[in-house]
Amino acid sequence: METPQGATGPRRIRTDLAVPNGWRRVSPALLQADALAEKGAARAVEKGRAFVAVKRVGAHIGLKAGDMMLLDTLGAFTQSQDWEEGRRPIVWASNAYLMEQTGFSLSALKRHARRLAEAGVIAFKDSPNGKRWGRRDAEGVIVEAYGFDLSPLSARVEEFEQVQALLQAERALCQRLKRQITVSRRMIRARIEAALSGALSGPWTQMSGLFEDLLNRLPRRNTASEHLMRLLGWFKELQCRVETAYLKACQPEEVVENTCETVEQDPHKDKEMNPSGVNSDPHILITNQPFPVTCNSSEKEDAASVEPNLPPRSQVDTELENWVADVRKKRAALDLPVVMQACPEFASWARNMGGYLKDWGDLHRVAGQLRPMIGISEHAWNVAQEQMGKQVATAALVLVFEKHAAGEVASPGGYLRGMVQKAGAGELHLERSFFGRLSEAAA
């Protein structure tokens, strides 16, 4: 029966918010914090480890900057022995002191403290009269205390570390997806602009509209990897359509064969790609000379036959050894199959764009077309060709493209300029990079 307004009678008590002493409202989250405090008291955790773990996931679990400031202030009152097994790091600093240290008002201080407790980071250990106090023995060990209990941190340190590992993996995945979206976006833009400037036939207006629609869908802030995966799929699909239309407009129909799939090579093409089948297949030697030295398979066979049977040293023998050393240098030269095998991502793009690459001239042409896709300016590309030579610059651009696609290089233009500087100082060894990538792939 309800009590009439103004009449005297027993007041209803909200039992779901009441506590034994009746001075603080409780919630399931606060009760969970108390349980975590009991669990944390039975564990020994380093203070530094506990605070590093919670700070790394603070924003993820809903903590704000003010909450973290208060938590740091509370942690400064604890000592290392408070975090040992069977003990509790309890802080009984007064509100006045905490307000002085943090600059919070009383209401803000209470709000931040309650948010920390409901997040399961601290717990309230209340005295019968609701006041905070405590004392330590001669060795600094807490004998009795009431106040803010930081034991939940000890109970959740492994949980926080696992969350941090998952967050790092998610961030790395998002960064990789964003890079792939950027690569696809630049490729689409370059192809559409080239088609429009060249007045090529094709549905470029429609594709430009689809492209702008996808650009508007790009997130303006951090988003989940699932959304980025969907976006990447849409960009890849549009890129496939743009590439197909572009190649159809530029090349005969017999050349345009499933540009969105890997191009199969026939035995004749394998023979052309194999340096042992064509004696005049060009090679590139990474040196400081303005014109690379070339060699062919017959020179390799001559070198192999000479090396095991070197005569004793003499003036003639010295000249012969110099000749053998020169041949060894030539054997370390890069050829087209090595470059393509060491850089599969570039090879896939190159085949889709230019069909079959029979020599360095084709590779240089395709590399120039893919250059805008990774953000390398025409000026940087021209400087690289002038300083290193056309073939060395082509190999360098291929390597930069592959590393950028793999997420190893964030600034392709700056990386290429660094390679030009190394080449000028005689410190550039591209062959090591290519053969190293082949070794990693084989492993």
Side-chain angles (χ1 to χ4, degrees):
M1 179 178 180
E2 295 184 359
T3 303
Q5 185 176 3
T8 59
R11 295 179 59 189
R12 286 188 176 183
I13 299 177
R14 296 181 61 184
T15 56
D16 59 324
L17 299 179
V19 291
N21 54 30
W23 73 274
R24 175 183 282 116
R25 292 182 306 162
V26 298
S27 66
L30 294 184
L31 296 177
Q32 179 66 22
D34 292 337
L36 289 171
E38 294 290 340
K39 182 179 178 181
R43 304 188 56 193
V45 175
E46 293 183 1
K47 172 183 174 180
R49 179 189 174 191
F51 274 84
V52 168
V54 70
K55 286 180 180 179
R56 287 178 173 174
V57 300
H60 181 73
I61 62 177
L63 298 182
K64 302 182 182 298
D67 306 333
M68 301 305 299
M69 181 185 296
L70 177 58
L71 184 62
D72 272 337
T73 304
L74 296 176
F77 283 93
T78 64
Q79 302 178 10
S80 58
Q81 65 265 24
D82 299 341
W83 298 83
E84 295 177 358
E85 184 178 354
R87 299 174 181 173
R88 289 191 177 189
I90 298 177
V91 177
W92 57 88
S94 66
N95 285 340
Y97 186 83
L98 293 175
M99 291 164 60
E100 177 184 353
Q101 293 297 310
T102 60
F104 296 149
S105 64
L106 180 59
S107 59
L109 178 65
K110 292 181 178 180
R111 183 172 63 253
H112 291 305
R114 188 173 183 89
R115 187 180 291 118
L116 287 172
E118 292 188 343
V121 174
I122 67 173
F124 296 122
K125 186 178 180 183
D126 301 322
S127 64
N129 60 0
K131 296 184 178 296
R132 303 185 205 114
W133 63 274
R135 61 187 180 90
R136 297 178 182 269
D137 61 15
E139 297 179 354
V141 177
I142 296 177
V143 176
E144 187 177 8
Y146 297 94
F148 301 105
D149 190 350
L150 275 61
S151 299
L153 290 179
S154 299
R156 302 186 67 185
V157 61
E158 284 88 359
E159 174 193 348
F160 290 154
E161 290 173 346
Q162 292 176 0
V163 171
Q164 168 64 10
L166 293 176
L167 290 176
Q168 285 182 332
E170 173 72 6
R171 281 194 291 267
L173 175 59
C174 289
Q175 290 175 358
R176 186 164 61 252
L177 292 172
K178 288 178 181 178
R179 286 194 296 267
Q180 294 177 1
I181 289 175
T182 299
V183 170
S184 181
R185 176 171 53 85
R186 288 177 176 174
M187 189 61 205
I188 294 172
R189 186 186 299 277
R191 278 286 166 262
I192 293 178
E193 290 179 354
L196 293 176
S197 62
L200 299 180
S201 61
W204 306 119
T205 302
Q206 178 186 3
M207 290 184 177
S208 296
L210 292 174
F211 182 53
E212 291 299 327
D213 181 63
L214 288 182
L215 292 179
N216 293 332
R217 293 173 181 262
L218 289 175
R220 298 294 183 265
R221 61 186 65 183
N222 292 335
T223 186
S225 58
E226 291 81 2
H227 180 58
L228 293 176
M229 286 181 181
R230 288 194 298 270
L231 278 175
L232 179 60
W234 295 335
F235 273 102
K236 288 289 187 182
E237 181 180 356
L238 178 59
Q239 178 187 341
C240 175
R241 295 170 61 183
V242 169
E243 287 293 335
T244 302
Y246 185 85
L247 292 178
K248 185 177 181 180
C250 290
Q251 299 177 357
E253 293 186 1
E254 58 269 15
V255 179
V256 184
E257 298 177 357
N258 252 344
T259 59
C260 300
E261 301 177 359
T262 303
V263 179
E264 298 182 359
Q265 298 183 6
D266 56 35
H268 298 290
K269 293 182 179 180
D270 293 337
K271 182 178 181 181
E272 292 177 0
M273 288 288 287
N274 187 354
S276 62
V278 180
N279 292 336
S280 60
D281 192 24
H283 291 63
I284 178 171
L285 178 64
I286 309 306
T287 67
N288 298 324
Q289 302 173 3
F291 300 101
V293 181
T294 60
C295 69
N296 53 37
S297 57
S298 62
E299 289 176 333
K300 296 180 180 182
E301 294 171 359
D302 292 341
S305 63
V306 171
E307 289 181 57
N309 301 313
L310 290 178
R313 294 187 60 86
S314 66
Q315 182 176 0
V316 177
D317 299 336
T318 302
E319 295 177 358
L320 183 59
E321 288 182 359
N322 291 337
W323 179 80
V324 172
D326 183 60
V327 172
R328 284 175 175 170
K329 284 185 179 180
K330 295 176 182 179
R331 294 183 65 185
L334 291 174
D335 54 21
L336 196 59
V338 169
V339 172
M340 301 296 280
Q341 291 171 15
C343 302
E345 184 69 17
F346 178 89
S348 176
W349 282 93
R351 293 191 183 101
N352 286 340
M353 292 185 60
Y356 173 67
L357 306 181
K358 64 179 181 300
D359 54 28
W360 282 95
D362 288 345
L363 185 62
H364 175 266
R365 172 180 52 80
V366 172
Q369 293 174 347
L370 288 175
R371 169 191 57 77
M373 177 178 165
I374 57 176
I376 294 179
S377 66
E378 185 176 0
H379 174 72
W381 175 228
N382 291 335
V383 170
Q385 295 179 83
E386 180 181 351
Q387 298 293 328
M388 297 191 294
K390 183 178 293 187
Q391 290 185 347
V392 179
T394 300
L397 182 61
V398 171
L399 184 61
V400 173
F401 185 100
E402 190 71 19
K403 287 190 173 186
H404 179 66
E408 302 172 18
V409 172
S411 176
Y415 196 84
L416 182 62
R417 286 190 292 271
M419 297 173 76
V420 173
Q421 293 175 359
K422 284 188 175 182
E427 299 174 355
L428 182 65
H429 303 284
L430 284 180
E431 72 282 0
R432 297 180 184 175
S433 298
F434 282 102
F435 285 111
R437 299 186 80 85
L438 281 177
S439 299
E440 292 176 2

